[in-house]
Amino acid sequence: MSPKPFLWIPVPQQAPRKQAPVGLEVFRNLTGRLDLSLVVESAYFYVGSGAYEYKAGARPNEPEVWHTFARREGQLCIPGTSLKGAIRAFVELLSNSCVSQAGRQEFVPMSHKQCPESAGEICVACSLFGRTGWRGRIHFADATPAAEVRTQIVKINELWAPRRTQGRKFYSGNQYKPLSNLQPERNHRFVEAVTKGGRFNTAIFFENVRAEELGLVCCALGWDVGDKGTLVTAYYPKIGGAKPRCFGMVRFASPVVNLWGVSSGSLLPSRTQKTGKDALDYIAQCIAACKKNGPLVLDAWKRLVEGLRAGTACPEGLY
Ligand SMILES: [Zn+2]
């Protein structure tokens, strides 16, 4: 039997460290925008829109109805909210924050229940990404195709959530096994997926973050500092739907760092832009700062990188 394409990382016994939220009334630390590309590394990538498309008079071996990829004004698009939710889950793990997106069946220890709205002190992830009544300091733009992105209608097994939970779940696995026929049948559905190599552009806006907090977000994107102090890819995060079917593995690339000038609590009408090697070096420094004094939990980081690096094949059956 093939291994299951996910990794359980237990919720630590230690409660999240909580602090008063960082206000946005004055500007301090780093405010700016990180431009970057997202490249599809698995065979397929799918973000659903909730909409369907159909083909009247489809041949017997052809799909009649399929779930469409998300679009904005007719163009393929990965909503910023999808990116934010996916990256937040990695940040929650890496900073021992509260668990904000637990399923109904999922057990979350009291210590890690979502920070309540009225709380005067909140965890790192809530402070960065926000929660009800608190806007947060990290925002994702919708990602749009960087060039022509190809799509394909793919047949997949229906997805069954594992019955037991053993902590936080992260999907690994990169080899999609094609199904033998394209006929509609029970327990299967068709989705419009972007194929490997598809490239999107997006941006992450940040306000009043410290270098180590920006470093934490960059770790969550799958980046790390290599032996020579340069920026390297540590793992490919998974985003979007059909992850148990080995969809959704992406690589973030080509960062450009835009920093706004700040003086006496106000934004200045000036901007510094770091491109190419300067941008890579800058991000590497932020990650190094995060590992040294920042909110990164090194044990969780090690488990994640090791677990996701081992690319397992995806199982074919239902489980
Ligand atoms: Zn929280």
Side-chain angles (χ1 to χ4, degrees):
M1 198 183 147
S2 347
K4 288 177 180 162
F6 47 76
L7 164 78
W8 290 110
I9 301 184
V11 173
Q13 289 193 325
Q14 197 184 13
R17 203 170 50 128
K18 300 196 177 186
Q19 287 185 326
V22 176
L24 295 167
E25 58 288 344
V26 292
F27 285 97
R28 61 194 137 182
N29 296 320
L30 304 173
T31 293
R33 191 185 76 224
L34 173 63
D35 298 322
L36 69 173
S37 303
L38 173 158
V39 185
V40 176
E41 288 291 338
S42 46
Y44 299 109
F45 175 68
Y46 168 68
V47 176
S49 61
Y52 300 88
E53 188 70 71
Y54 69 95
K55 182 176 177 180
R59 288 194 300 259
N61 201 26
E62 263 184 353
E64 279 181 309
V65 183
W66 58 91
H67 297 253
T68 52
F69 198 96
R71 279 181 171 71
R72 197 181 65 188
E73 290 165 5
Q75 190 188 36
L76 295 176
C77 159
I78 309 165
T81 47
S82 299
L83 294 171
K84 185 174 175 176
I87 297 306
R88 178 181 182 137
F90 286 96
V91 164
E92 287 178 5
L93 166 80
L94 295 176
S95 59
N96 187 22
S97 287
C98 73
V99 178
S100 71
Q101 302 168 64
R104 235 176 299 157
Q105 307 274 323
E106 229 165 291
F107 171 75
V108 178
M110 271 313 288
S111 57
H112 286 71
K113 295 262 187 238
Q114 194 173 13
C115 299
E117 203 175 323
S118 55
E121 295 192 322
I122 55 178
C123 73
V124 173
C126 284
S127 172
L128 282 173
F129 288 78
R131 56 168 184 156
T132 319
W134 169 247
R135 194 166 76 85
R137 295 174 283 142
I138 300 279
H139 305 276
F140 284 71
D142 291 346
T144 49
E148 202 197 333
V149 166
R150 294 213 316 230
T151 62
Q152 194 182 324
I153 312 297
V154 187
K155 181 180 172 182
I156 55 172
N157 292 141
E158 281 301 353
L159 313 168
W160 303 94
R163 282 180 206 93
R164 286 185 306 134
T165 60
Q166 300 156 37
R168 301 182 201 252
K169 187 169 62 177
F170 292 90
Y171 286 96
S172 58
N174 52 10
Q175 288 168 270
Y176 169 78
K177 284 192 188 161
L179 295 163
S180 51
N181 72 73
L182 282 177
Q183 265 153 16
E185 58 183 306
R186 273 184 64 184
N187 292 331
H188 289 75
R189 61 185 169 137
F190 293 93
V191 298
E192 180 191 24
V194 167
T195 54
K196 186 173 178 168
R199 198 178 178 99
F200 292 82
N201 288 334
T202 187
I204 299 173
F205 297 89
F206 49 91
E207 288 171 274
N208 287 4
V209 299
R210 286 178 286 117
E212 51 267 41
E213 291 175 318
L214 188 57
L216 175 68
V217 174
C218 290
C219 286
L221 295 173
W223 290 333
D224 193 9
V225 187
D227 296 338
K228 292 177 186 148
T230 52
L231 194 69
V232 295
T233 297
Y235 66 88
Y236 296 142
K238 283 205 168 191
I239 292 175
K243 289 191 282 281
R245 293 292 168 243
C246 290
F247 279 42
M249 199 151 60
V250 301
R251 174 169 57 89
F252 287 96
S254 315
V256 172
V257 183
N258 302 278
L259 293 172
W260 272 251
V262 172
S263 174
S264 314
S266 302
L267 284 189
L268 297 174
S270 68
R271 196 177 72 162
T272 326
Q273 189 174 64
K274 297 175 196 295
T275 58
K277 191 175 177 304
D278 288 348
L280 301 178
D281 289 348
Y282 183 79
I283 293 167
Q285 284 164 22
C286 291
I287 292 177
C290 181
K291 285 184 158 176
K292 202 170 162 209
N293 338 304
L296 189 77
V297 178
L298 288 171
D299 177 57
W301 171 246
K302 231 179 104 194
R303 279 172 183 244
L304 185 71
V305 171
E306 278 170 10
L308 295 191
R309 195 185 277 145
T312 51
C314 264
E316 263 173 299
L318 308 177
Y319 55 86

